[in-house]
Amino acid sequence: MNRKQSEVLYEEALQHIVGGVNSPSRSFKAVGGGAPVFMKKAEGAYFWDVDGNRYVDYLAAYGPIITGHAHPHVTKAITEAAANGTLYGTPTELEIQLAVMLKEAIPSMDKVRFVNSGTEAVMTTIRVARAYTGRNKIIKFAGCYHGHSDLVLVAAGSGPSTLGIPDSAGIPTSIAHEVITVPFNDTTGLQEALEKWGDDVAAVMIEPIVGNFGMVMPKPGFLEDVCRLTHEYGALVIYDEVITAFRFHYGSAQTYAGLDNHDAIKPDLTALGKIIGGGLPIGAYGGSKEIMEKVAPLGPAYQAGTMAGNPASISAGIACLEVLQDPKVYEEMNRLTVKLTDGLAESAKRHGVPLTINRIRGSFSTHFCDHPVTNYDEAQDTDGEAFAAFFRAMLNRGVNLAPSKFEAWFLTTAHTEADIDFTLEAAEASFKEISGK
Ligand code: PMP
C-alpha cells in the first residue's frame, strides 16, 4: 500500500507541530516509529487517507465515534447549531436537554456540569471531592488513565502502601505524594492503602470497567468492595466513565446489566466525556446534589469554562444519544463484535499466535500474551513487537487500529457484516505474516 503523501506531510508536520502530532497517542512511536497515516475523509466505518487508501476503522477516535463517522443525524445537528452561532457565553435550553438525558441514563447524578474534555471532568471531580471532604489525597488504580492533569499522571510507588511518583516531567513530587496507586481488582491492596492513609483520602478514583490497559471487567464484588471500603473511611468514590458511558448499553458502567448490584456500586461523582459529545469536544461531571452544591456559583469549589456547554458540542451529543436510544443498535454492535472476536481468536490460534481477547459488548482488546488479563501487571506481558507487526500488517490491508498494544477496538453502529468479513480476511493474512509461516 502506497502511503507516500502521508510521509511527505509527516516531514512537514514535524517542522511545525511538536512530534508532528497533536496528541502523543497518534504517533507511531509505540509501533516502531515512522509516519502516522494522515487521514483526509471519514464516513461511516471508513477512513480514506491522503493517498486515497481506504481503511475500516476500529479506533473510533479513541471511543467517541460510536455512531460511525459523519453520521447524518449528528452532522445535521452540528450544522444547524453552527448556523445559529457556535458560542454564546450564556446559558441555552440545549444544555438542559443533554443534562436531563444524562441524568435519566445515569441516576447517580442529581446535578451535572459540562466541561470541554475528559481531562477537565476528572480534574474537577477531584477538586470537588477535596472541597467536600476537606482532605487532599487520592487513591487510583495502576494502569487506569484519567487524562493528563497532574494528580492522575502519577504511577505507583513500590507497593500499595507507598506514595506515588510522577509519570511525567513537570509534575512536582509534592503533588505525586498526594496520590496512592493500587492494583486494579485487588481489594486487599485497596484496604491496605486505606488503612495507612484513609483519614487523609478525599477520593478513590476508578475506571469501573477499564478501557486503558485493554478492556477489563472488575471481578465480581470488586466495585462493591471499592464503594464499601471507601465510604467506611469517609472518602468519595469517583467513577471515571469517560470511555465506558454509553459504550456497552444506553447508560454507563454503573448501570450496566453485567454489574448486577447497582446500589452497592453507586459512585459519589462521575466523570464523562467522549461519546456524550458525539465527536465534538466535551466533558461532564455530576453527582449527588449535596456534593455538587460545593461547585461555584453555589459553593466554594471554583470551576469555569469559556467553551463549556457550547451549542455545537451539546447538539452533537444530543443527536448521538438519540441514535443510541434504540436498543437494537447495541444488539447489532454486540453481534458483530462476537463474530469478529471469535474469528480473530480462531485465526490467531491457527497460526500459533498467543492472543487474549477481552470483549465487553461492542468493544474488546487484544493482548498478545497467553494468560488472562485482569490487571495492569498482566497486561504488561503483552508482546509489543508482535502487536506492532500485527498493527502494520493490518494497516497495510486496510484496517485501522490504535497504534498501542493496550488500546481497545471499538465497533460502531456503521460497521456491517461485510466489514467484519473484510477484517477477518485481513487478520488471517496478518497472523500468517507475523507468525512467519
Ligand atoms: N478518562 C479516561 C478513562 C480516558 O480514557 C480518557 C481519554 N482517553 C480521559 C479520561 C481523558 O479524556 P480527554 O482525552 O477527553 O481529556
Side-chain angles (χ1 to χ4, degrees):
M1 184 181 276
N2 170 17
R3 285 197 288 270
K4 276 255 160 322
Q5 195 53 26
S6 276
E7 283 162 26
V8 170
L9 289 179
Y10 182 50
E11 284 309 311
E12 198 181 336
L14 282 172
Q15 291 169 41
H16 308 292
I17 296 170
V18 62
V21 288
N22 282 308
S23 188
S25 52
R26 296 175 200 171
S27 118
F28 275 15
K29 201 171 163 188
V31 286
V37 186
F38 280 62
M39 298 299 179
K40 190 165 183 175
K41 182 179 157 68
E43 196 180 326
Y46 311 120
F47 268 137
W48 286 266
D49 72 10
V50 285
D51 288 283
N53 303 305
R54 194 198 81 162
Y55 305 84
V56 178
D57 180 35
Y58 293 96
L59 179 65
Y62 291 89
I65 304 297
I66 191 168
T67 58
H69 296 284
H71 188 287
H73 187 60
V74 179
T75 304
K76 183 165 170 270
I78 296 170
T79 316
E80 283 174 8
N84 277 330
T86 50
L87 189 61
Y88 297 173
T90 73
T92 64
E93 195 175 341
L94 288 167
E95 292 155 82
I96 306 173
Q97 197 183 331
L98 186 55
V100 170
M101 288 172 99
L102 295 181
K103 281 182 47 176
E104 281 173 1
I106 309 173
S108 66
M109 303 196 307
D110 292 335
K111 288 279 163 62
V112 179
R113 171 64 65 78
F114 290 109
V115 291
N116 302 302
S117 67
T119 295
E120 267 186 67
V122 166
M123 187 174 92
T124 315
T125 57
I126 294 172
R127 178 169 303 157
V128 175
R130 286 169 147 182
Y132 185 78
T133 58
R135 302 167 173 186
N136 279 337
K137 292 198 189 311
I138 66 158
I139 295 179
K140 61 186 272 294
F141 293 86
C144 290
Y145 177 71
H146 302 290
H148 66 273
S149 68
D150 283 359
L151 268 170
V152 287
L153 267 192
V154 168
S158 57
S161 50
T162 58
L163 296 172
I165 43 169
D167 232 0
S168 159
I171 297 177
T173 313
S174 57
I175 288 187
H177 279 182
E178 302 295 355
V179 185
I180 300 129
T181 307
V182 298
F184 190 77
N185 268 331
D186 179 358
T187 299
T188 310
L190 175 63
Q191 191 155 10
E192 278 173 25
L194 282 167
E195 273 162 17
K196 186 150 187 188
W197 307 105
D199 292 344
D200 298 324
V201 170
V204 173
M205 164 80 62
I206 188 165
E207 286 183 84
I209 295 176
V210 177
N212 277 296
F213 52 86
M215 300 300 302
V216 176
M217 282 297 278
K219 287 184 176 159
F222 180 61
L223 291 179
E224 283 87 340
D225 288 346
V226 168
C227 291
R228 182 180 44 79
L229 286 170
T230 304
H231 290 145
E232 253 172 51
Y233 282 87
L236 302 188
V237 174
I238 304 175
Y239 279 180
D240 179 350
E241 296 237 31
V242 169
I243 285 191
T244 47
F246 301 97
R247 166 47 57 190
F248 315 118
H249 76 142
Y250 191 85
S252 63
Q254 60 198 268
T255 62
Y256 175 54
L259 307 169
D260 23 35
N261 198 351
H262 294 161
D263 272 348
I265 61 168
K266 191 173 155 196
D268 300 293
L269 286 163
T270 299
L272 303 170
K274 300 205 183 218
I275 288 174
I276 65 157
L280 290 194
I282 205 163
Y285 64 95
S288 71
K289 183 169 174 289
E290 193 194 344
I291 296 170
M292 289 298 283
E293 284 184 349
K294 290 288 173 201
V295 178
L298 297 184
Y302 193 72
Q303 175 271 309
T306 302
M307 301 288 168
N310 73 79
S313 295
I314 298 288
S315 301
I318 293 169
C320 176
L321 295 192
E322 280 169 351
V323 174
L324 298 177
Q325 269 167 344
D326 176 359
K328 286 203 290 289
V329 299
Y330 285 103
E331 289 317 315
E332 182 61 3
M333 280 190 282
N334 190 43
R335 188 183 73 79
L336 291 177
T337 311
V338 170
K339 176 173 174 172
L340 179 54
T341 49
D342 283 355
L344 287 172
E346 281 162 25
S347 202
K349 198 167 169 202
R350 221 172 358 257
H351 296 289
V353 177
L355 192 70
T356 295
I357 298 180
N358 284 359
R359 183 184 70 80
I360 308 173
R361 305 281 290 172
S363 57
F364 65 96
S365 52
T366 43
H367 290 96
F368 284 70
C369 66
D370 58 5
H371 55 70
V373 172
T374 64
N375 62 33
Y376 189 49
D377 272 355
E378 289 164 357
Q380 275 176 325
D381 289 339
T382 195
D383 180 341
E385 277 179 27
F387 171 76
F390 180 73
F391 167 85
R392 285 182 187 276
M394 291 294 272
L395 195 66
N396 290 337
R397 291 174 173 85
V399 179
N400 184 62
L401 309 176
S404 153
K405 64 181 181 180
F406 289 147
E407 210 64 51
W409 302 44
F410 294 115
L411 268 278
T412 73
T413 63
H415 284 82
T416 63
E417 197 97 34
D419 296 326
I420 303 304
D421 291 338
F422 176 87
T423 306
L424 288 175
E425 267 176 46
E428 174 67 16
S430 299
F431 282 124
K432 185 170 181 206
E433 182 185 317
I434 72 164
S435 70
K437 284 181 196 158

